[in-house]
């Protein structure tokens, strides 16, 4: 039986792609419900554009962060854990944190979990998971597409690329759609490896618009078309990180750290 005085709010950017939502965001939330049965689990999405699109197109209403905090307050929740499914502690995560902390006087306790890539241990686990899941052969390059951010936390992408190489995964590369490393850098780096094939995969929780269009689309500027134009055989794997248990486990451990702080 749930103790309705305790709640976990899972905060995502959101996606308008139903198929990937079910496999990623929904799956993370299901894991939370399964592991924390004495908590009421709530959902919030930070993208107003996506929330409005779902409301208009599908009749699905999803709270923003403040709306979800209001709902928990109305439901009598006293202790709150906020767990973002964000990749990094960038702009979206900071805005979320500001919204949450504006309610700090409305609840007895609030704990905010860390995004996916926060500690070095997180990075170690993600590097191992990607290498184990994809295991590119000597003639393949695995190129992962991150979102990227103007925020200084964007440097994690280049750091992870370095870590892959440092740990012997010379054929794994990470770039971003909207920041550095960009596609031009990736093509130059892959050319140095002398590979014949490129595997493209999203390095994002969901395989939504960026994966479908920027990565695997048929427009000339998509990553698929750019690598094909550079002479490579390209295969796209449209699976969001939320589909992988190894990744979901990191979020679960971040929630567990919040539980431990609440109970300390």
């Amino acid at each position: 039986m749930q103790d309705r005085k305790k709640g976990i709010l899972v905060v995502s950017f959101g996606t308008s792609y139903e198929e990937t939502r079910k496999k990623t965001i929904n799956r993370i939330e299901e894991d939370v419900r399964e592991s924390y049965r004495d908590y009421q689990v709530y959902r919030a999405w930070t993208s107003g554009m996506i929330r409005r699109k779902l409301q208009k197109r599908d009749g699905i209403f999803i709270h923003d962060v403040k709306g979800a905090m209001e709902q928990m307050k109305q439901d009598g929740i006293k202790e709150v854990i906020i767990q973002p499914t964000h990749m990094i502690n960038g702009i979206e995560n900071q805005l979320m944190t500001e919204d949450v902390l504006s309610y700090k006087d409305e609840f007895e306790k609030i704990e905010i979990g860390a995004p996916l890539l926060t500690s070095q241990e997180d990075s170690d686990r993600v590097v191992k998971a990607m290498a184990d899941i994809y295991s590119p052969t000597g003639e393949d390059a695995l190129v992962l597409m991150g979102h990227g951010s103007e925020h200084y936390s964007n440097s994690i992408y280049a750091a992870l690329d370095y870590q892959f190489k440092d740990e012997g995964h010379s054929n794994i590369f990470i770039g971003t759609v909207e920041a550095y490393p960009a596609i031009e850098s990736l093509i130059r780096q892959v050319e140095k490896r002398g590979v014949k094939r490129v595997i493209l995969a999203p390095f994002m929780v969901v395989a939504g618009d960026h994966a479908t269009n920027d990565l695997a689309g048929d427009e000339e500027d998509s990553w698929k078309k750019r690598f094909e134009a550079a002479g490579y055989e390209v295969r796209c794997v449209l699976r969001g990180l939320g589909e992988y248990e190894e990744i979901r486990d990191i979020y679960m451990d971040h929630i567990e750290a919040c539980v431990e702080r609440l109970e300390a």
Side-chain angles (χ1 to χ4, degrees), residues 150-164:
E150 297 177 359
H151 194 271
Y152 60 81
S153 59
N154 185 76
S155 60
I156 186 64
Y157 295 108
L160 282 172
D161 187 272
Y162 183 98
Q163 188 172 346
F164 276 118

Side-chain angles (χ1 to χ4, degrees), residues 149-216:
S149 171
E150 297 177 359
H151 194 271
Y152 60 81
S153 59
N154 185 76
S155 60
I156 186 64
Y157 295 108
L160 282 172
D161 187 272
Y162 183 98
Q163 188 172 346
F164 276 118
K165 312 298 188 294
D166 188 44
E167 296 187 9
H169 308 298
S170 59
N171 283 13
I172 301 181
F173 304 83
I174 294 185
T176 69
V177 187
E178 299 188 358
Y180 181 87
I183 180 67
E184 292 79 12
S185 300
L186 293 169
I187 291 173
R188 286 195 297 269
Q189 295 300 318
V190 170
E191 283 175 347
K192 295 176 184 178
R193 295 300 308 158
V195 299
K196 297 179 179 179
R197 296 181 296 267
V198 171
I199 303 165
L200 293 177
F203 191 66
M204 306 175 189
V205 175
V206 302
D209 187 64
H210 285 302
T212 303
N213 297 309
D214 296 316
L215 185 139

Side-chain angles (χ1 to χ4, degrees), residues 13 29-30 41 50-51 66 107 109 137 139 141 143 147 156 158 183 189 206 222 226 229 231 245-246 254 262:
F13 180 79
E29 292 169 352
E30 288 163 10
V41 179
I50 292 174
R51 286 187 293 103
K66 286 189 173 183
F107 298 91
K109 297 179 180 178
T137 67
E139 291 192 335
V143 177
H147 186 277
I156 186 64
I183 180 67
Q189 295 300 318
V206 302
S222 76
R226 293 288 298 274
E245 185 177 4
E246 300 94 324
H254 290 179
L262 279 179

Side-chain angles (χ1 to χ4, degrees), residues 58-90:
D58 304 330
I60 297 174
F61 173 77
I62 296 173
H63 281 297
D64 61 6
V65 173
K66 286 189 173 183
M69 298 298 284
E70 282 290 342
Q71 185 64 60
M72 287 190 288
K73 186 173 74 169
Q74 291 175 20
D75 290 347
I77 300 294
K78 302 298 182 185
E79 298 183 4
V80 178
I81 291 172
I82 313 293
Q83 180 55 53
T85 66
H86 299 147
M87 295 289 294
I88 60 176
N89 187 11

Side-chain angles (χ1 to χ4, degrees), residues 10 20 27 45 47 50 61 64 74 132 137 158 210 251 253:
V10 181
T20 191
R27 189 65 191 277
W45 287 5
S47 172
I50 292 174
F61 173 77
D64 61 6
Q74 291 175 20
D132 289 349
T137 67
H210 285 302
Y251 288 120
D253 287 346

